[in-house]
Amino acid sequence: MVGGASRPNRTRPLSTWRDAPCENDGMAGAASPGNVPVHSEVDVVVVGAGFAGLYALYRLRTLGFSTIVLERAGDVGGTWYWNRYPGARCDIESLDYSYSFDSELEKEWQWSERYATQPEILRYLGHVADKHGLRRDIRFGTAVESAVWDAAARRWRVRTDRGDGIRCRFYMMATGCLSHPKTPDIPGVDRFAGEVYFTSRWPHAGVDFTGKRVAVIGTGSSGIQSIPLIAEQAAELTVFQRTPNFTRPAHNGPVTPGKKTALERDPAAYREAARWSRAGVPMEQSLIRTFQVSAEERLAAYEAGYASGDLLAYANAFVDLGSNPEANETLCEFFRGKIRSIVGDPETAEALSPRNHFYGTKRPCLDTNYFETFNRPNVRLVDLRRDPIRTFTERGIETATRSFAFDAVVFATGFDAMTGPIVAVDIRGRDGVRLAEKWTEGPKTYLGLMTTGFPNLFMITGPGSPSVLSNMVVSIEQHVDWVGACLDQMRAERLDVIEPTAVAEAGWVQHVNDCADVTLYPRADSWYMGANVPGKPRVFLPYVGGVDRYRKTCDEVVHRSYLGFALDGPGGARCTDGVVNRLQLDVSMVLELIEQLGMPVLETMPVADARALFAGMALGRPPGPDVGEVVDGVLPGPAGPLAYRRYRPASAGPHPIVVYFHGGGWVLGDLDSDDPFCRDLCVRSDSIVVSVDYRLAPEARFPAAVEDGFAAVRWIAANAASLGGEPGRLAVCGWSAGGNIAAVVCQLARDAGGPAIAGQVLVNPVTDADFTRASCVENGERYVLTTSLMRWFWDHYADPAERRQPTASPLCARTLAGLPPALVVTCEFDPLRDDGAAYAAALAAAGVNARHLPCRGQIHTSVPAVDVILSAAGARAEIGAALRRFLGESVAAARAVTVPAAPPEPPAPTPL
Ligand code: NAP
């Protein structure tokens, strides 16, 4: 056909191709094997006969639920039925990307390769279907058009494109995450008269590109897998690339011997390890940060990952690659170096080098000879960022600067991921509300399993679950098992309707977003963010917290009597409402680590040992940001010299000054303990931070710490200029016991008539010695700072009779009027939360300009944990902004006094 007239291989507009059931496999209308009569009533209708639908059918049938599967395709396989393009294969190793529910299957099925091809995976699924007689309950060539909740009958009414009407108690979407191809969104697409193929709807008979001029549009996984093979066949191949992707050699070959041995030796243990792993594949988790190691060690780790051919290798290289932009950039540059070393033409190499997203934030790929393909004489790359497509023509494609003629065009343009396959069906829940309408601003689910207002509707690997960030088979089995157990329990309790509550769903949506927000994912225009489909809301779709944590969460929901679900039926009605996973993800991870390490209990130790342990905990933590200069000095205190550490910003001075008091319950801590936080404060507030090493109890009991604090502030105010600061511009800040000292110092300065303090930032401050507040009762045992530790601190610091004095408990002051403006930061899971909240409220009531910043999901130690608790970075930014504001206002106030009044306006000129 080269140079000849192309004949269209289609009879309908491209935009409707996606929905053609089996048009391109010659099976439309055929009575495919296994087709079954449709009963008008079953317990469960499952949509989709891929990995999820097959296992759901098996499990539900085993549990004794009458089940029918409706499948648009002509056979089982799901995504592996449709995606038959050349080079299609899995990129999670086949030993992992396979079912675990059937121990015989594990023995009888031998994968021929490390990464099996699409035909082999399809054979595997066919084998599973045969072995368990699944086809007899699958209706092929049948697309579901609508599903409507009938509240009176407490059932779903499902309609298919064959006119079937089926009633079912439970309705399950097992439609996959990447099964709804994107409609071609390129102008003039229907004008092209040549052959058109979609990687996601590949003809079963295959395609022979021999001698043809072929275009491939798209360089995601599908493009990257198919391009090298199409290039080998076609006369000419032109690749249209909008975004270059991170890809590396799969090093496919025989199954990995170590993995095979581990699986064969103890399959149950191996599968259990997968279930409790981060991504559904057994692997160790690194705790090492990228810049903790030398450049050489880093390179060695990157090379090892590259050589491994393991998609997840970099998920495990360094703990901060997914969250720290500078760390991730080192990996990005490593990849670009590889591309430059493979691709001969420097301009092509540069065009193939990803520069607009971080590694992993768009799904990375594994390939075989992808970059090498661009060294072939019959292959060229069109960089659409520089030369965008203007339109399709009858003969080919016109870009901004060129015109191309093709015999065939391959769309590897991806999917409307995760939500697309679900809202493609007209699903209507309570009061006729359409799911698509409910999800206009993005999907809202509880656990990615169910959605409020749509009773008895289950989604397998739905949005808000680990799904596409995991080994799908492991996540599918977990979901199906959870649903199966749920239905089983409902039956036992004679309950027939289940639905998540609005509170639980809102909490989960918040948690999913919070988790994503500490990563780099939201920064990329990826399908994870819905950014590949014009008009789709920009929301991070999967759950990034990990397969292990997610499984634990789902189990916890069950153990807490189906927390967040309302259930009812003849057996009664019940609902334990509430939110699961209220801690921020990184906070949970730190708490788990502390638990694993089995830290000794501070308050059971001699003070010296507790101090040593406290200091030891600071070793190896991230150092905090660079500042212009750090200098240690000594200032005169009331009982002798006090050490201080001065942090100067890199910007030109003079700067205002923030006097900082570290935490540690007046007993622990020193200039090192809050060093990263002081650096962070210095950078964010653009101020000099002077951290003061006040005397500690029990050697120096109350009121030594506050006397030192006040003396230090006075000395620093008087010596501002010699410290590089601007006289008259001073604020105070402190964390925990340091927050107590900062608050007291403000009261002392007010009462003494100076020095002037422009503002106070109190982070989780101790404001009185009350242990009866709700926050103490709720959070007193689990979150690092316990009530028993607080008592230990108080016992070392002050006699009971002294504790209610305002200099120990600033909340007990006669009045809080006349104090400097304040920002009071509290954390949801801190015993001191209500202390801080009470102080903020009392300040405001006394007419002080006080703001309370409550931090959701945080614990007492979160805010100073710079570069560890990333989810508290927002609070740290607010603190920096508040200090700037306080100190900026102090300048304005000073100017209002010192700047001479402006001269009177000259008289307006008289018009001629
Ligand atoms: P994809 O990753 O979304 O890639 C689509 C490609 O088409 C992107 O390069 C995209 O560019 C480009 N594109 C889309 N619309 C375009 C337009 N109008 N003009 C020009 N270019 C356009 O889709 P996919 O390759 O089918 O893969 C989707 C997912 O399926 C993968 O990420 C993976 O999870 C899964 N998958 C897995 C395997 C496997 O190896 N197991 C194989 C295939 C797919 P932009 O990036 O600029 O949007």
Side-chain angles (χ1 to χ4, degrees):
M1 275 228 268
V2 181
S6 300
R7 275 192 314 113
N9 61 335
R10 61 183 188 274
T11 53
R12 53 160 78 206
L14 290 178
S15 45
T16 62
W17 261 46
R18 174 182 54 208
D19 302 321
C22 306
E23 185 175 77
N24 61 352
D25 64 5
M27 298 189 80
S32 51
N35 261 0
V36 289
V38 170
H39 302 288
S40 57
E41 172 115 21
V42 287
D43 292 329
V44 193
V45 165
V46 175
V47 189
F51 266 100
L54 291 179
Y55 180 51
L57 174 57
Y58 169 85
R59 172 62 55 217
L60 293 168
R61 206 199 251 173
T62 311
L63 289 167
F65 293 101
S66 61
T67 306
I68 185 163
V69 176
L70 304 175
E71 168 57 63
R72 178 197 301 275
D75 200 355
V76 299
T79 200
W80 298 106
Y81 174 91
W82 297 105
N83 288 266
R84 296 165 185 250
Y85 59 83
R89 53 174 84 236
C90 58
D91 57 10
I92 294 285
E93 295 194 37
S94 291
L95 287 180
D96 295 303
Y97 191 75
S98 47
Y99 289 124
S100 74
F101 72 88
D102 179 346
S103 52
E104 278 178 22
L105 179 67
E106 307 232 58
K107 292 190 205 110
E108 72 202 16
W109 186 270
Q110 296 297 320
W111 293 104
S112 67
E113 286 179 283
R114 184 182 185 191
Y115 298 112
T117 57
Q118 173 272 337
E120 187 172 3
I121 300 171
L122 197 57
R123 278 201 303 281
Y124 171 78
L125 290 172
H127 172 77
V128 172
D130 289 341
K131 179 174 182 208
H132 295 287
L134 298 178
R135 284 193 176 88
R136 70 171 186 265
D137 286 324
I138 305 174
R139 173 88 167 173
F140 294 109
T142 306
V144 174
E145 290 188 331
S146 67
V148 178
W149 174 246
D150 180 339
R154 299 160 81 80
R155 279 171 174 72
W156 283 93
R157 285 191 279 111
V158 178
R159 293 213 77 78
T160 75
D161 62 350
R162 293 190 167 210
D164 312 304
I166 312 164
R167 293 197 331 158
C168 55
R169 180 73 73 195
F170 301 101
Y171 175 62
M172 181 185 281
M173 293 294 278
T175 37
C177 295
L178 294 152
S179 52
H180 191 72
K182 242 176 60 150
T183 311
D185 52 359
I186 299 174
V189 69
D190 285 322
R191 286 166 59 196
F192 180 60
E195 298 168 34
V196 171
Y197 302 100
F198 291 84
T199 49
S200 55
R201 290 287 183 270
W202 203 256
H204 286 205
V207 181
D208 185 1
F209 289 115
T210 309
K212 293 183 183 167
R213 298 162 304 171
V214 181
V216 174
I217 303 175
T219 50
S221 301
S222 306
I224 282 172
Q225 284 186 334
S226 57
I227 283 165
L229 293 173
I230 296 175
E232 282 176 14
Q233 215 179 42
E236 292 170 15
L237 172 64
T238 308
V239 175
F240 289 85
Q241 171 195 270
R242 191 163 66 183
T243 308
N245 224 326
F246 290 103
T247 178
R248 64 197 150 94
H251 298 303
N252 194 21
V255 293
T256 312
K259 205 177 261 294
K260 192 165 164 27
T261 311
L263 185 59
E264 282 173 356
R265 193 171 42 223
D266 190 345
Y270 186 90
R271 296 299 189 188
E272 194 62 5
R275 290 182 194 115
W276 291 100
S277 66
R278 190 59 47 85
V281 176
M283 101 175 18
E284 293 287 315
Q285 286 300 311
S286 169
L287 289 176
I288 300 169
R289 292 187 311 279
T290 308
F291 295 115
Q292 244 177 320
V293 300
S294 67
E296 292 72 35
E297 286 171 283
R298 208 156 44 234
L299 183 62
Y302 292 164
E303 288 287 4
Y306 197 85
S308 71
D310 178 351
L311 186 71
L312 302 172
Y314 294 118
N316 194 33
F318 298 110
V319 69
D320 55 349
L321 278 176
S323 56
N324 179 343
E326 289 80 30
N328 194 295
E329 174 56 25
T330 63
L331 181 57
C332 297
E333 191 45 38
F334 168 81
F335 267 86
R336 291 181 207 121
K338 289 289 181 195
I339 297 167
R340 287 191 289 270
S341 74
I342 299 170
V343 179
D345 172 39
E347 207 176 311
T348 307
E350 178 52 29
L352 287 164
S353 296
R355 290 205 182 266
N356 77 340
H357 64 282
F358 290 107
Y359 178 86
T361 56
K362 283 169 90 101
R363 169 72 153 65
C365 310
L366 293 184
D367 69 81
T368 303
N369 295 330
Y370 177 66
F371 290 119
E372 290 82 349
T373 298
F374 292 90
N375 293 332
R376 294 176 64 105
N378 67 332
V379 174
R380 67 185 152 183
L381 179 71
V382 177
D383 180 355
L384 297 180
R385 305 243 157 175
R386 300 178 64 176
D387 190 9
I389 295 181
R390 218 175 50 73
T391 183
F392 268 90
T393 63
E394 191 153 298
R395 296 182 61 235
I397 292 174
E398 270 180 21
T399 62
T401 64
R402 284 175 285 179
S403 186
F404 300 87
F406 297 114
D407 302 307
V409 172
V410 174
F411 284 90
T413 45
F415 300 86
D416 181 349
M418 300 202 73
T419 52
I422 299 174
V423 297
V425 175
D426 182 9
I427 301 177
R428 292 169 194 250
R430 281 190 197 286
D431 306 319
V433 173
R434 290 183 60 222
L435 185 58
E437 240 167 73
K438 178 182 169 182
W439 284 5
T440 317
E441 287 167 11
K444 295 183 172 46
T445 72
Y446 184 37
L447 303 171
L449 270 167
M450 297 194 81
T451 183
T452 309
F454 296 79
N456 292 4
L457 162 63
F458 293 98
M459 294 164 283
I460 301 304
T461 62
S465 72
S467 56
V468 292
L469 298 180
S470 70
N471 174 357
M472 286 299 290
V473 187
V474 169
S475 289
I476 284 168
E477 288 191 334
Q478 186 258 336
H479 262 191
V480 169
D481 289 344
W482 192 96
V483 176
C486 171
L487 300 197
D488 197 31
Q489 186 166 343
M490 286 175 69
R491 181 173 53 189
E493 295 183 31
R494 296 195 308 122
L495 301 169
D496 54 20
V497 176
I498 179 167
E499 183 184 344
T501 68
V503 168
E505 180 173 280
W508 185 252
V509 170
Q510 182 72 65
H511 178 64
V512 170
N513 290 333
D514 284 349
C515 291
D517 285 347
V518 297
T519 72
L520 298 171
Y521 279 112
R523 301 197 193 187
D525 289 335
S526 63
W527 59 256
Y528 295 135
M529 292 296 299
N532 64 328
V533 176
K536 192 167 172 173
R538 197 181 167 88
V539 172
F540 188 68
L541 297 169
Y543 175 60
V544 78
V547 163
D548 45 356
R549 183 175 313 280
Y550 177 78
R551 176 180 288 270
K552 195 168 149 212
T553 302
C554 291
D555 291 353
E556 181 187 335
V557 163
V558 174
H559 293 140
R560 292 171 70 182
S561 196
Y562 281 91
L563 175 70
F565 286 105
L567 297 110
D568 76 27
R574 66 179 165 91
C575 175
T576 314
D577 204 359
V579 172
V580 72
N581 285 7
R582 290 169 58 205
L583 287 170
Q584 295 285 346
L585 175 63
D586 44 7
V587 173
S588 303
M589 291 165 95
V590 166
L591 288 175
E592 283 159 14
L593 195 64
I594 291 174
E595 199 178 319
Q596 276 168 27
L597 293 174
M599 304 283 283
V601 180
L602 275 175
E603 61 270 33
T604 60
M605 308 170 81
V607 168
D609 293 355
R611 282 184 188 150
L613 179 66
F614 193 67
M617 275 154 44
L619 299 175
R621 73 189 159 178
D626 287 337
V627 298
E629 184 187 44
V630 180
V631 177
D632 284 351
V634 173
L635 60 84
L642 296 175
Y644 71 83
R645 183 168 294 165
R646 181 175 61 100
Y647 304 81
R648 188 177 53 73
S651 57
H655 300 93
I657 296 179
V658 176
V659 183
Y660 180 80
F661 301 105
H662 66 77
W666 308 284
V667 178
L668 314 173
D670 53 25
L671 294 182
D672 290 331
S673 48
D674 291 7
D675 185 76
F677 189 36
C678 289
R679 291 167 174 274
D680 192 79
L681 282 173
C682 173
V683 171
R684 291 184 191 273
S685 66
D686 196 32
S687 307
I688 288 174
V689 172
V690 182
S691 174
V692 179
D693 200 12
Y694 54 87
R695 282 171 294 159
L696 296 180
E699 297 88 339
R701 288 171 64 86
F702 172 82
V706 286
E707 283 177 358
D708 287 0
F710 187 43
V713 166
R714 281 203 295 204
W715 184 85
I716 292 164
N719 294 277
S722 61
L723 290 165
E726 210 179 326
R729 295 179 71 198
L730 178 145
V732 295
C733 176
W735 167 63
S736 192
N740 168 280
I741 296 171
V744 171
V745 161
C746 288
Q747 294 188 10
L748 293 174
R750 174 199 61 183
D751 297 344
I757 296 177
Q760 50 182 327
V761 173
L762 313 177
V763 184
N764 316 111
V766 184
T767 65
D768 73 2
D770 184 351
F771 293 87
T772 63
R773 292 203 170 90
S775 59
C776 245
V777 177
E778 290 163 17
N779 309 315
E781 285 177 11
R782 281 183 291 169
Y783 307 112
V784 183
L785 179 65
T786 60
T787 39
S788 77
L789 182 57
M790 282 164 59
R791 282 182 204 285
W792 188 75
F793 285 146
W794 272 110
D795 289 346
H796 281 305
Y797 182 51
D799 293 339
E802 296 167 330
R803 293 182 192 176
R804 306 290 291 173
Q805 292 182 27
T807 39
S809 290
L811 189 59
C812 298
R814 189 180 45 78
T815 174
L816 299 184
L819 288 172
L823 174 71
V824 184
V825 182
T826 62
C827 292
E828 187 177 1
F829 295 96
D830 181 2
L832 290 172
R833 178 194 68 208
D834 296 348
D835 272 46
Y839 199 62
L843 284 170
V848 175
N849 179 2
R851 184 169 157 235
H852 176 203
L853 176 66
C855 299
R856 193 181 59 249
Q858 300 294 355
I859 60 173
H860 186 71
T861 47
S862 292
V863 176
V866 176
D867 294 337
V868 175
I869 302 298
L870 303 181
S871 56
R876 291 188 283 272
E878 296 241 21
I879 290 170
L883 286 168
R884 281 176 189 248
R885 207 168 44 247
F886 295 151
L887 293 160
E889 280 161 9
S890 73
V891 162
R895 289 215 178 111
V897 177
T898 53
V899 174
E905 290 280 333
T910 314
L912 292 171

